[in-house]
Amino acid sequence: MASRNPTIQPARKPSFAQRMTLMLIGVAVIFGGVFAIKAFMGKATNDFFDNMPQPPVEVSTFDTREEQWSGNAEAVGTLVADNGTDVTTEAGGVVQSIAFESGQAVRKGDLLLQLNTANEQAQLKALDTAARLAITQRDRWRELGEQKLVSRSEVDERIADAATTQAQAEAQRALIAQKTIRAPFDGVLGIRKVNLGQYLNPGDPIVSLQALDPIHVDFTLPEQRMNQVAIGTPVRLDVDARPGEPFEAKVSAIEPSVDASTRNFKVRASLANPDGELRPGTFGRVGFDLGQASNVVVVPQTAVSFNPYGNSVYVVVDAPKPAAGAEPAEGMPQPTHVVKQRFVTTGPSRGDLVGITDGLKPGEVVVTSGLLRLRNDAGVTINNKVQPAAQDKPEPENR
């Protein structure tokens, strides 16, 4: 009996969709492995740097102390004249004569400068002549009108003509007066800005005039001081031109509104200046006592890190003891002190010092230099050979 050989079927190739699926799975496995390895290495690197021991930071320190500060307010101001202006002219013309010297003291109404008015004077003579003629005709026509020899309208016309010519003459006199420049108030003149024969346009400055007695100092205060300042409050003024000689002034005006952009309000204090020692534009330091004293913890301003989210200091404390069995890193000394960041509430300041109203106690040690290199619980070494300035009335050298 003959045997039957089975028919051999050819192997079926995978379809296109199956090949694409296998390829995508392979790509996902490869890239997933790459990203997983990268994430693992990144985490290991971060853990290494987070746990890597940092060498102690060398800092200077300050022992906080408690002081009683009176409620003094300080500000910077600018001296302002009681009256001050650049003398100018309303009418243009050529300078004919100058009747003052630079730096001269003048009284109100003193002649300062005369512009050429020859043409205007000639026109004034013609206008005065016409005005006299018009007045004569007006009076004559009034008599004729009373005698009923002319109409009332003709009399009114002559009266109007006389008034018009008189007004023209007065306008010409006013123009001539505008070309005669006089001091508008008592004061001291500055440096002359014009010369003989020079043509002046309306508004050109001739000379500065400043009234020096009394004199004012304008300064600004934060809105929190609005209810602490009143008219008549004594003010102490110090100027660089007279070091060590404070001047006494009194608040004479307070701006009723607060500047919306700065949240400050303007204050003006006035004082006598008979000898002209103080000059407008001078920089001045203003201080006054609010009559309120409070206890504050005093630290140097360099110890405070001023940030938008809050002010903070670094307080030095003893380093915690290492855990049992823990060994210090090779070549890394064990710090004896660490710092703790603490948020504080700052108060008034005096010179290089600032008062802390909340967050610190007297006797605590704060860092005064090297703050940018510190973080919470960082180890530090103390070196107070060089200390930042910490004076309530600093007097820097003038080099």
Side-chain angles (χ1 to χ4, degrees), residues 123-138 157-173:
Q123 293 180 7
L124 178 60
K125 289 181 180 179
L127 291 173
D128 282 338
T129 301
R132 287 194 295 270
L133 176 61
I135 291 172
T136 301
Q137 291 178 346
R138 178 199 64 188
E157 183 177 351
R158 297 298 178 178
I159 293 174
D161 290 342
T164 300
T165 52
Q166 283 182 302
Q168 291 174 347
E170 291 300 325
Q172 191 67 14
R173 287 190 179 88

Side-chain angles (χ1 to χ4, degrees), residues 215-219 233 235 249-253 267-271:
I215 198 167
H216 313 287
V217 54
D218 291 347
F219 56 97
T233 300
V235 170
K250 289 187 178 181
V251 174
S252 57
V267 182
R268 168 169 288 185
S270 304
L271 67 156

